[in-house]
Amino acid sequence: MAHHGGRLTKNAKRTLLVVEDNAINREILRAILESEGFNVLEAENGLEGLKLLEEHYEDTSLVLLDVYMPICDGFEFLKQKRADKRFDSVPVIVATASESRHDEITCLKLGANDFILKPYNVDIMMNRINNTVHLRESASIVNQLTWDKLTGLYSCEFFYRRVDNVFTTINDDTMFDIVCSDIVNFKSLNERYGRKNCDRLLKDLARRLCDVLPGYIAGGRISGDTFAFLIEHQRNRAWVRQLDNVSKGLMGTSLNVKFGVVECIDRSLSVSLSCDRAIIAVDGIKRTFGVDVAWYDDKIRQQQLAEQIIMESMELALEKHQFAVYFQPKHSLRLNRTCGAEALVRWIHPDLGYVHPNEFIPVFERSGFVVRLDLYVCEEVCHEIRRCQELGLPSVSISFNASQLDFDTPDFADQVAALADKYGVDRSLLHVELTETAYSDNPKRLIEALKELREHGFKVDLDDFGSGYSSLASLNMLPLDVMKIDMSIIRQASQLNDYRIVHSAIQMAQFLDLETVAEGAETLGEVEELKALGCDAIQGYYYSKPLTRDEFEKYLAT
Ligand code: C2E
Ligand code: MG
Ligand code: MG
């Protein structure tokens, strides 16, 4: 018999508690365990076992637990043990008589750490005991890290470990789901209600989730306001109906908890990846009112794959000039001629073909790559302004789109200026479009960045006005030159034949001394309405679609 104890340091005698009703079995176990250098405590049923645990939990390394015993059986023992936090540090190995999957799962749910089969095989038993003791001892060094103090759930790291542990222990095709919860806008709740109240909220929420998710096997706090639970897969998803009650009464009505679920977890993937997927699912519904649970499914997986392809090929794409810049003319209603253009990027991908900006810009925004793309487009624009000059074409301004991240880049204005100078471009011809994503938060930093651009002589256009969350309050704080009215407003006005909203947008722009450009006018009727309302310019299919460079130059020439 080789080194059962090899991994343990032998200097201190460890105590094992054997809970077993059969006296002969107890005697055999005692003999084996003592020969392996353990102290042995014996109990002949669960009740006695709990009594001994109460006295000795601080120096008991492990409980070896029989399932079927009179008076208080193994299940009851586990239940009561689990109810007492002090006993958490003592692991339990359950001895089951036959390979009973049902018993094993029940025990796992109740907190058992491992199983051995009766009759005892000494080698296997000692290995499992030593492994479990070893694991627990190394874990106890970081014991404080095991539990999240606030909620009593596992810490993130230990949740992953615990789930791994369950997967390796339950060796059949039992299926499991992971449920992650997330509080919408937790940060702002923190600000509004204070840290203390929000801590209590997290605690209450964790407790309610434990109550609502039936027989959850493990629960962990994955990050600030994100919890994860491992449950046995339920085809009927019955627990979903319970979720309505979870946030009732917590923090008034302002609490909104959403859930992401990964069903039938692929055990070959890491637990953290499965949790990530649940979180991806929940992120997808964060802004969707009335939908509180999302399942990670094939559609999301496809999206992720596509996103991965985009991420993997974007660097090379820039090098290989796969990003083509198109120019969509803007038509001045007052002068009745082309007065400018917007640069719009397209990706001609060797495998994916033509990729629409709506598909890759958000990915680039998440990865930070958008800054490099935008500067690339900016350079193409400078180049084009220069070419028009050299070709003797009418001089028009050209705008390019800039995202939030551009404005967070400290020397963005300087980089734009360097490009303009490289091509000897009249700076007032270069417009920077502030896309909708850019003006949602951190107005201070944004205002700084816009000021800088204007000090350098560039113009700033507010893109997509009226499309979403653009706050009117921030409008007069932003240093701007042009307001671009979003296509959706024009479309709606045209359909309802009611231009009052367009009218007030134009009036507001005039009040703020901004030029107006209406996006997406497609018909003569729309153009005439806009002209009558005093709109300055139009960028829309009525005049032209986005054009390649050559087409644009021809368009300007006529
Ligand atoms: P955007 O800046 O609001 O651009 C206007 C969009 O409206 C363009 O779509 C344009 O083709 C489309 N459009 C213009 N007139 C009409 C019309 O009459 N009817 C219809 N149905 N559509 C019209 P596109 O080119 O697909 O661009 C979509 C968005 O992608 C842009 O919206 C912009 O936010 C973003 N984007 C494009 N290029 C860049 C870029 O270089 N950098 C960044 N950060 N974003 C970009
Ligand atoms: Mg734009
Ligand atoms: Mg726009």
Side-chain angles (χ1 to χ4, degrees):
M1 275 209 322
H3 315 280
H4 304 309
R7 293 213 266 140
L8 296 175
T9 44
K10 283 273 181 182
N11 47 10
K13 254 196 169 179
R14 289 175 178 73
T15 301
L16 298 193
L17 168 59
V18 174
V19 187
E20 154 81 73
D21 61 327
N22 183 312
I24 298 175
N25 275 350
R26 281 205 307 275
E27 214 160 297
I28 297 172
L29 286 172
R30 173 186 285 278
I32 299 170
L33 294 170
E34 282 183 346
S35 79
E36 292 286 332
F38 287 100
N39 267 333
V40 179
L41 298 172
E42 288 178 34
E44 61 174 66
N45 60 53
L47 205 61
E48 262 185 44
L50 287 164
K51 265 188 220 146
L52 283 175
L53 196 59
E54 174 81 40
E55 287 164 39
H56 298 282
Y57 70 92
E58 276 171 328
D59 43 43
T60 299
S61 295
L62 180 129
V63 178
L64 196 57
L65 180 70
D66 190 19
V67 179
Y68 295 103
M69 297 174 287
I71 301 183
C72 163
D73 64 11
F75 303 125
E76 189 55 33
F77 176 92
L78 286 168
K79 238 180 256 167
Q80 302 221 11
K81 174 181 173 290
R82 185 155 89 157
D84 195 328
K85 271 253 172 284
R86 292 172 305 163
F87 302 158
D88 280 342
S89 60
V90 186
V92 180
I93 293 183
V94 178
T96 47
S98 60
E99 202 163 354
S100 161
R101 195 183 74 83
H102 181 74
D103 287 355
E104 290 190 357
I105 292 187
T106 311
C107 289
L108 271 180
K109 282 182 184 165
L110 292 172
N113 299 74
D114 205 352
F115 299 95
I116 47 179
L117 282 185
K118 281 179 166 182
Y120 303 111
N121 169 309
V122 177
D123 252 333
I124 293 179
M125 178 176 78
M126 286 321 299
N127 267 305
R128 296 216 160 159
I129 288 178
N130 283 327
N131 283 342
T132 305
V133 170
H134 176 78
L135 193 76
R136 186 50 60 116
E137 284 181 1
S138 42
S140 79
I141 300 168
V142 280
N143 194 25
Q144 285 125 309
L145 302 177
T146 310
W147 301 100
D148 172 53
K149 284 208 191 64
L150 184 66
T151 59
L153 299 175
Y154 282 110
S155 67
C156 177
E157 218 27 65
F158 269 76
F159 176 75
Y160 295 159
R161 275 215 216 174
R162 174 70 183 149
V163 174
D164 262 335
N165 186 247
V166 170
F167 287 173
T168 44
T169 322
I170 297 207
N171 246 326
D172 57 18
D173 45 10
T174 307
M175 293 199 279
F176 297 96
D177 300 347
I178 279 185
V179 181
C180 282
S181 69
D182 196 357
I183 301 173
V184 180
N185 276 329
F186 184 67
K187 264 197 212 124
S188 63
L189 286 183
N190 241 333
E191 265 169 39
R192 254 169 70 200
Y193 295 96
R195 224 196 143 77
K196 225 170 156 189
N197 287 323
C198 285
D199 276 358
R200 201 173 50 234
L201 165 73
L202 288 171
K203 215 164 134 182
D204 292 347
L205 182 63
R207 214 197 41 238
R208 286 199 187 178
L209 287 171
C210 291
D211 292 344
V212 158
L213 294 169
Y216 74 94
I217 299 162
R221 185 173 176 200
I222 300 300
S223 67
D225 63 326
T226 314
F227 303 141
F229 292 86
L230 181 75
I231 61 174
E232 210 180 321
H233 176 59
Q234 286 188 350
R235 280 175 79 172
N236 61 6
R237 297 172 171 176
W239 55 273
V240 172
R241 265 169 274 132
Q242 306 292 317
L243 294 180
D244 285 349
N245 300 317
V246 162
S247 52
K248 273 211 182 107
L250 294 179
M251 212 135 266
T253 51
S254 45
L255 184 67
N256 190 354
V257 186
K258 304 228 174 196
F259 299 88
V261 189
V262 185
E263 287 192 315
C264 305
I265 290 172
D266 179 350
R267 294 197 201 177
S268 67
L269 302 177
S270 72
V271 181
S272 69
L273 183 68
S274 295
C275 287
D276 286 349
R277 290 184 163 180
I279 290 164
I280 288 170
V282 77
D283 278 347
I285 52 165
K286 276 246 177 97
R287 285 176 151 208
T288 315
F289 181 77
V291 179
D292 293 333
V293 190
W295 281 267
Y296 183 87
D297 60 10
D298 261 3
K299 214 173 97 209
I300 300 182
R301 205 191 311 266
Q302 291 304 331
Q303 243 171 354
Q304 260 195 312
L305 283 180
E307 187 158 334
Q308 218 171 330
I309 295 176
I310 287 174
M311 298 265 262
E312 277 163 11
S313 50
M314 61 194 185
E315 295 274 348
L316 196 68
L318 200 56
E319 249 170 66
K320 301 240 173 205
H321 299 281
Q322 288 171 10
F323 295 108
V325 177
Y326 279 60
F327 299 91
Q328 185 176 30
K330 294 174 194 163
H331 189 92
S332 163
L333 290 172
R334 198 161 37 85
L335 306 172
N336 194 25
R337 65 169 172 83
T338 306
C339 60
E342 174 178 9
L344 294 161
V345 74
R346 275 92 186 82
W347 187 355
I348 320 293
H349 192 288
D351 305 325
L352 303 175
Y354 179 99
V355 192
H356 191 266
N358 292 349
E359 284 174 59
F360 61 83
I361 296 288
V363 183
F364 289 1
E365 281 175 342
R366 281 195 286 279
S367 67
F369 187 73
V370 74
V371 179
R372 288 178 52 203
L373 177 76
D374 287 343
L375 285 168
Y376 175 82
V377 174
C378 172
E379 176 155 12
E380 293 288 296
V381 167
C382 293
H383 190 179
E384 188 54 26
I385 295 177
R386 175 63 186 246
R387 268 178 63 91
C388 290
Q389 224 173 318
E390 283 170 356
L391 293 170
L393 295 167
S395 101
V396 296
S397 66
I398 304 184
S399 60
F400 70 98
N401 290 282
S403 310
Q404 162 108 55
L405 279 178
D406 296 323
F407 302 108
D408 290 340
T409 306
D411 60 348
F412 182 66
D414 292 335
Q415 293 197 55
V416 175
L419 290 172
D421 293 350
K422 179 174 167 190
Y423 293 90
V425 164
D426 173 357
R427 290 188 180 182
S428 68
L429 292 181
L430 192 58
H431 287 228
V432 183
E433 287 196 16
L434 179 60
T435 56
E436 205 232 312
T437 53
Y439 58 93
S440 39
D441 46 55
N442 196 1
K444 238 190 192 152
R445 170 74 205 120
L446 180 61
I447 290 168
E448 277 310 303
L450 297 183
K451 268 192 189 147
E452 238 173 283
L453 282 165
R454 292 178 94 214
E455 276 159 18
H456 277 89
F458 304 112
K459 301 276 189 232
V460 177
D461 300 6
L462 181 69
D463 203 357
D464 305 332
F465 177 78
S467 66
Y469 299 86
S470 45
S471 123
L472 295 181
S474 64
L475 199 56
N476 65 355
M477 297 185 337
L478 295 173
L480 299 169
D481 300 285
V482 177
M483 174 198 282
K484 295 188 76 177
I485 301 169
D486 192 64
M487 176 154 57
S488 60
I489 300 194
I490 311 290
R491 202 55 5 100
Q492 198 186 33
S494 168
Q495 268 159 18
L496 304 175
N497 197 22
D498 178 351
Y499 280 77
R500 279 179 298 178
I501 292 178
V502 179
H503 191 192
S504 48
I506 292 171
Q507 282 178 325
M508 185 155 17
Q510 286 168 345
F511 176 73
L512 296 168
D513 213 11
L514 305 176
E515 268 182 57
T516 44
V517 177
E519 293 183 304
E522 294 181 351
T523 64
L524 180 62
E526 287 163 9
V527 170
E528 280 175 342
E529 287 282 357
L530 288 161
K531 191 172 179 181
L533 293 175
C535 181
D536 296 307
I538 282 182
Q539 177 190 338
Y541 290 177
Y542 177 73
Y543 289 104
S544 173
K545 294 197 167 181
L547 304 171
T548 64
R549 189 182 75 182
D550 290 346
E551 290 167 344
F552 177 60
E553 287 166 3
K554 273 193 204 119
Y555 184 90
L556 275 184
T558 52

